[in-house]
Amino acid sequence: MSLIVLVWNYLKSRPLNTALNIVLLGLGTAVVTILIVISHQLRERIDTNARGIDLVVGAKGSPMQLILCNIFHIDFPTGNIKLHEADRIAANRLVKQAIPMALGDSYRGYRIVGTTAAYAAHYGGELAQGTWWSAPMEVTIGSAVAQALDLSMNATFHSNHGLSNDGHAHEAHPFIVKGIMAPTQTVLDNLILTSVESIWHVHDLHSADSAGSVPSRLVPSVSAADSSREITSLLVQYRSAMGAIQLPRIINGQTALQAASPAFETARLFSILGLGVDILEGFAAVLILISALSIFIALYNSLKERRYDIAIMRSMGASRMRVFVTLLLEGVLLTFLGCCFGLLLGHGVLFLMETFMDAAGKSGFTGLTVYPEEGIILAGSLLLGSVCALIPAWQAYRADISQVLSRQ
Amino acid sequence: MIQVRDLKFRYREGNTLSFPDFSVERGRACLLLGNSGSGKTTLLHIIGGLLAIQSGSVVVNGRELKTLRGPVLDRFRGENIGFIFQRNHLISALTVRQNLLMAPYLAGLEVDSQRVDIILEQLNIADLADKSVHRISQGQMQRVAIARALINKPALILADEPTSALDDENCERVIRLLLDVSAQNECTLLVATHDQRLKSVIETHVPIIHV
């Protein structure tokens, strides 16, 4: 016999009420847990995807769109820029590395990116099978693409114009899969990589003879003087901190191009997302508050029924303090169970979402990681339990046992 | 075992009760006889340490109760006194065995499961041990309540109206049972009652009259 057994039996003797309280608190806790897990993993993902890219240079438009499209591959391109203008920026002495990006086509929802080997290298992409693309129309695909579209080595496919499935197909120019990358947990997993030339080729822009002239810095197969070629954007890494001060000003002020900073735009994105998170947090807070109230009412009501139990316990030698602790423990045990249920529910929901969603719908969040904030939730729930139980416990502490026992 | 001297009790409403001086020897049985409202339950609660002594002296098992306070008094009560209340209240969330085990646990004594079996055997309710309290009859509940009062081997059993709601036959049976188990466990028995039928079984009695 111990207090825990007693308290547990008290909770068991009111199964519906106990279940209601556990579910109420569990729902609130689950929402908070999901928020914590998602915001952690979203931040991690945004950080890994934007890491090492100091500036994105593209056509004028929304800077956030530029970032979303060229780094996270979720929005549409802002337009095209001239290759020779991009070349000029790449040649700036403040630029350490510049990676060209040619976007706009896709295959069954997965984006085709015309770029250079430096892009895959930047994200630590490694081959699982085959080789990197070399000739035009050769592609190396991300691990998630290979899995979801069931594309194997040397498979061929026709790309679609645009980033959705309803764009017209580029029937005349099939791509061939030359390699499949190992998973990287970055955007690379969901991309189809090819050369910039392939993108031009699909759009029937055959290279003019560039023999004899200086080759382009970004795409060496064409002449630096060629003014017809276009790409979507340029991912820039600064040589020094000076780049951060000067380059955006030069680009935004002196050229027809736009420069956007991933760090600044993602911070802005978070502050916009923050509003949604705030609303959800408020919702969770209301749920938790209601459950706290419900636990308080349950304990308070059960105390009325248990006045005699408490008097008997005192007559058997229990001190006031022990009676006080018994009720406190009941509140704490209840919130502890509710909180554990909520943590499991939160992680379980994320896990099931990830397991049963089809590949294209995968959010990439895993329910299997536990974060330190969840310890704070647990500690907070125990505190909440003691607070809810405080008034009933105090009443039990003060009860006049003789009066209770002599009432017929 | 019990010595009561010059004991007075003043209720919050202002009524004052004076109790007669009396004493009960170890191992004996005694009735506190009085009508409803005469204050016999109050006296029982004072002797049991549930109510504080305001004036006078009560010595139980060699200890002056006035000198005991708070947790020390609670512990003294748990170790030395077994209560049987009129309502035979059991903790309904627990089984019969768990109810009995609560007594040594709350008194801070060693919890001895064998002792539970022995007591249940003495009271002829060994088969109820693992039943929920909801599933036993009133008569059985009273036996469990008696078992609970005895489990800690108290020096003194205080019973408040244990028979007043019973018919003659059951009244006789219950008071015999109380006397038997008290003798078996070497307890002193003090019964507060207005039930005149008990006089024929327990000869020693203290009349409590509201003055």
Side-chain angles (χ1 to χ4, degrees), chain A residues 111-267:
Chain A
R111 297 183 176 208
I112 300 171
V113 178
T115 183
T116 63
Y119 184 67
H122 177 81
Y123 287 113
E126 281 171 10
L127 286 169
Q129 288 179 57
T131 62
W132 297 108
W133 69 95
S134 52
M137 305 316 291
E138 289 180 356
V139 298
T140 302
I141 61 178
S143 58
V145 182
Q147 204 186 0
L149 301 185
D150 206 14
L151 282 174
S152 50
M153 292 292 298
N154 296 315
T156 58
F157 62 88
H158 296 280
S159 61
N160 281 336
H161 192 70
L163 300 176
S164 50
N165 270 333
D166 47 8
H168 72 85
H170 294 297
E171 300 278 357
H173 305 283
F175 282 100
I176 178 160
V177 178
K178 279 294 176 188
I180 297 169
M181 284 179 273
T184 58
Q185 312 302 329
T186 65
V187 278
L188 226 48
D189 296 350
N190 291 301
L191 294 178
I192 299 170
L193 302 186
T194 184
S195 60
V196 177
E197 287 93 334
S198 307
I199 306 293
W200 291 333
H201 194 71
V202 168
H203 295 91
D204 293 322
L205 292 160
H206 292 286
S207 46
D209 186 24
S210 59
S213 55
V214 184
S216 157
R217 182 179 286 265
L218 291 165
V219 189
S221 70
V222 299
S223 157
D226 188 333
S227 62
S228 65
R229 302 291 173 178
E230 290 182 326
I231 58 172
T232 309
S233 69
L234 200 58
L235 307 182
V236 172
Q237 208 173 2
Y238 300 139
R239 191 174 295 282
S240 67
M242 189 57 82
I245 302 165
Q246 295 191 354
L247 261 186
R249 230 189 9 225
I250 295 172
I251 294 166
N252 288 328
Q254 301 175 10
T255 68
L257 308 178
Q258 171 185 228
S261 149
F264 180 77
E265 295 305 325
T266 51

Side-chain angles (χ1 to χ4, degrees), chain A residues 1-3 5-6 9-10 13 308-309 312-319 322 400-402 405-406 408, chain B residues 12 41 45 50-51 74 77-78 83 85-87 89-91 93-94 98 101-103 105-107 148:
Chain A
M1 199 76 232
S2 70
L3 281 193
V5 175
L6 175 68
N9 276 296
Y10 271 134
S13 70
Y308 219 94
D309 282 18
I312 292 279
M313 282 168 65
R314 293 288 316 278
S315 81
M316 289 194 284
S319 61
R322 180 163 279 187
D400 181 345
I401 37 178
S402 170
L405 291 170
S406 54
Q408 300 302 309
Chain B
R12 238 175 275 168
T41 295
H45 285 181
L50 297 176
L51 278 176
D74 291 328
R77 180 167 59 234
F83 285 95
F85 298 106
Q86 189 176 8
R87 287 217 298 201
H89 187 91
L90 302 176
I91 295 174
L94 303 176
Q98 285 172 327
L101 288 172
M102 280 305 282
Y105 173 70
L106 291 175
R148 182 175 61 189

Side-chain angles (χ1 to χ4, degrees), chain A residues 66-87:
Chain A
L66 196 60
I67 299 297
L68 288 177
C69 170
N70 290 288
I71 289 185
F72 303 112
H73 299 274
I74 35 186
D75 207 344
F76 295 93
T78 45
N80 289 342
I81 60 175
K82 294 286 183 202
L83 178 64
H84 69 95
E85 287 183 42
D87 254 347

Side-chain angles (χ1 to χ4, degrees), chain A residues 341-390:
Chain A
F341 172 66
L343 290 175
L344 285 176
L345 187 68
H347 283 283
V349 164
L350 285 171
F351 178 75
L352 290 180
M353 261 167 54
E354 204 45 29
T355 310
F356 292 110
M357 281 282 195
D358 57 16
K362 271 198 200 303
S363 54
F365 297 115
T366 168
L368 299 178
T369 320
V370 176
Y371 294 96
E373 285 92 330
E374 295 175 45
I376 300 174
I377 300 185
L378 195 59
S381 77
L382 300 188
L383 187 69
L384 185 76
S386 359
V387 169
C388 292
L390 205 58

Side-chain angles (χ1 to χ4, degrees), chain B residues 24-38:
Chain B
V24 183
E25 278 167 48
R26 185 174 297 271
R28 301 295 292 273
C30 175
L31 295 179
L32 295 177
L33 266 178
N35 294 325
S36 307
S38 60

